[in-house]
Amino acid sequence: MRVIVWLVEGTWPACVDAVHRHAPHATDVVLLYVDEPGVPGLAHGAFAGLLGRAHSEHDPGDRLEDLGTSSAQRLLDAAAERLARPCTRLERTGRAEREVVAAAEGADLLVLARDGDRSRLGPHSLGPAGRFVVDHVPCPVLLVWPETAPDVTTLPGVAP
């Protein structure tokens, strides 16, 4: 059984714990982190366009890229340690939702956490990226709450 675990800052521990609870006998666990290049690209552009190229300062976009790479490695390392069994660490770059769907091709299960409004039950508990993945991924999905799920009284249309 091949399981892809989409790791996102702030929610990844719940995904790793879900593998322990719901896919304990998975033979191939892939920890996936997707780096979106938007922020470093903006910094590169600002440095070149607003500050000019004649300055001797270093491009802040380079520093942001370095920080993003080391942050991703630390997150993947922490997730592998929490998983406490052999796994593959996979880092991809691009639009997160599309990279996750592509990485899940051929998988038996994708584990991801809710990325929207987690204060109440309902469709808004999925943000745009999570919604895209759930709608398009070509394998079964295990969608977990990163923290305790809200009470059923938070359902839309239910009086408190």
Side-chain angles (χ1 to χ4, degrees):
M1 176 179 205
R2 182 168 193 251
V3 176
I4 306 294
V5 186
W6 181 19
L7 305 174
V8 176
E9 291 88 351
T11 61
W12 66 266
C15 294
V16 172
D17 293 347
V19 172
H20 283 292
R21 280 192 305 275
H22 302 289
H25 304 295
T27 57
D28 183 14
V29 177
V30 177
L31 302 175
L32 169 66
Y33 180 81
V34 181
D35 183 29
E36 295 194 76
V39 173
L42 289 173
H44 285 306
F47 181 71
L50 298 175
L51 302 176
R53 295 176 186 208
H55 294 278
S56 61
E57 297 95 22
H58 297 285
D59 184 346
D62 294 339
R63 178 75 176 132
L64 288 171
E65 285 179 7
D66 292 343
L67 289 171
T69 299
S70 63
S71 174
Q73 288 304 312
R74 282 195 305 271
L75 191 147
L76 287 165
D77 290 346
E81 184 176 326
R82 189 177 185 107
L83 185 63
R85 63 190 224 201
C87 62
T88 302
R89 301 170 198 197
L90 177 61
E91 184 176 351
R92 297 178 79 141
T93 300
R95 290 185 59 185
E97 62 273 21
R98 294 193 178 272
E99 294 298 324
V100 171
V101 170
E105 185 175 8
D108 298 297
L109 181 67
L110 170 68
V111 179
L112 70 148
R114 294 178 184 272
D115 61 351
D117 177 7
R118 299 188 306 257
S119 65
R120 59 189 171 118
L121 300 173
H124 296 292
S125 65
L126 282 172
R131 170 55 56 198
F132 183 92
V133 169
V134 168
D135 287 345
H136 295 85
V137 73
C139 69
V141 171
L142 176 57
L143 179 61
V144 300
W145 287 93
E147 58 278 322
T148 303
D151 188 85
V152 293
T153 60
T154 63
L155 276 170
V158 175

